[in-house]
Amino acid sequence: MDAPTREYVERYLPEDAVIAAARARGVELGCVPIGSGGGAALRFLAAALQAKAVVEIGTGAGVGALYLLGGMPAAGVLTSIDVAPEHQRAARVAFAEAGIAVSRTRLIMGQALEVLPRLTDGAYDLVFVDAAKSEYPKYLAEGVRLLRPGGVIAFDNVLWHGRVVDPAHRDPDTTAMRDVARAVREDDRLVPVILPLGDGLLVAAKVG
């Protein structure tokens, strides 16, 4: 995709002031949020699934959560996990600015791989992953367990700045992106697609 076309896609749905402010806080904190195109895809998925129960791995400053909540029904609850308290404080500011009821979000501070096993099997409509890249393959195993049949798991940054297509890049993060993409493709329980939005969004539906 050439640069003008990519810019058109990313700017197709302009961000509102609340998301823009949350994005700026994320940049200040050093937790780069999902791009506007990927965020729009999350909102679409949440709306298409009528997702009432969503898990987000990596709260960041709340940008991804705002998009997810924007597509979820009013009774939907987002569970978001992050290891950094300052990230979740920033997310709470964003939620307040957006007028989101406190009852619609459950923020859990801790290591995702320690928190996820405590969540209920098959109880979630959508799982979104945007956290430690080297742990993506482990998040996949937990995420698929949490999904109901027909639920969707989504991974941000799967193109990893173009490094995944260059075999010369063998660092742990790039390797993990390749590994999770391969594992999703080879899993008979999943129907996947990579959307070339932002830094790449890998989406897979759970069947059966």
Side-chain angles (χ1 to χ4, degrees), residues 59 78-81 88 91-92 95 105-109:
T59 307
L78 172 72
T79 298
S80 188
I81 306 163
Q88 293 198 330
R92 285 191 176 93
F95 300 158
T105 60
R106 179 172 64 149
L107 300 185
I108 302 175
M109 190 173 64

Side-chain angles (χ1 to χ4, degrees), residues 153-178:
I153 188 166
F155 296 86
D156 195 25
N157 303 115
V158 293
L159 298 180
W160 203 228
H161 316 298
R163 294 188 182 100
V164 294
V165 299
D166 185 350
H169 289 287
R170 300 179 182 178
D171 59 279
D173 288 346
T174 304
T175 299
M177 294 299 99
R178 294 190 188 109

Side-chain angles (χ1 to χ4, degrees), residues 8 11 13 17 34 62 64 73 90 95 100 113 117 120 122 131 134 136 151 174 202:
Y8 173 79
R11 294 178 179 270
L13 296 172
I34 189 169
F95 300 158
I100 294 168
L113 292 175
T120 304
S134 62
Y136 268 34
T174 304
L202 172 60

Side-chain angles (χ1 to χ4, degrees), residues 81 109-119 135 139 142:
I81 306 163
M109 190 173 64
Q111 296 285 348
L113 292 175
E114 295 176 3
V115 174
L116 292 169
R118 304 202 299 264
L119 303 183
E135 296 180 349
Y139 297 149
E142 289 292 337

Side-chain angles (χ1 to χ4, degrees), residues 9 19 63 73 76 82 84 89 91 94 97-98 127 141 172 200-201:
V9 170
I19 293 178
V63 173
D82 203 293
R89 281 195 294 269
E97 290 179 351
V127 175
L201 189 68

Side-chain angles (χ1 to χ4, degrees), residues 171-193:
D171 59 279
D173 288 346
T174 304
T175 299
M177 294 299 99
R178 294 190 188 109
D179 288 347
V180 77
R182 184 183 307 111
V184 168
R185 184 180 63 205
E186 295 175 354
D187 193 324
D188 292 339
R189 299 169 298 173
L190 301 174
V191 177
V193 64

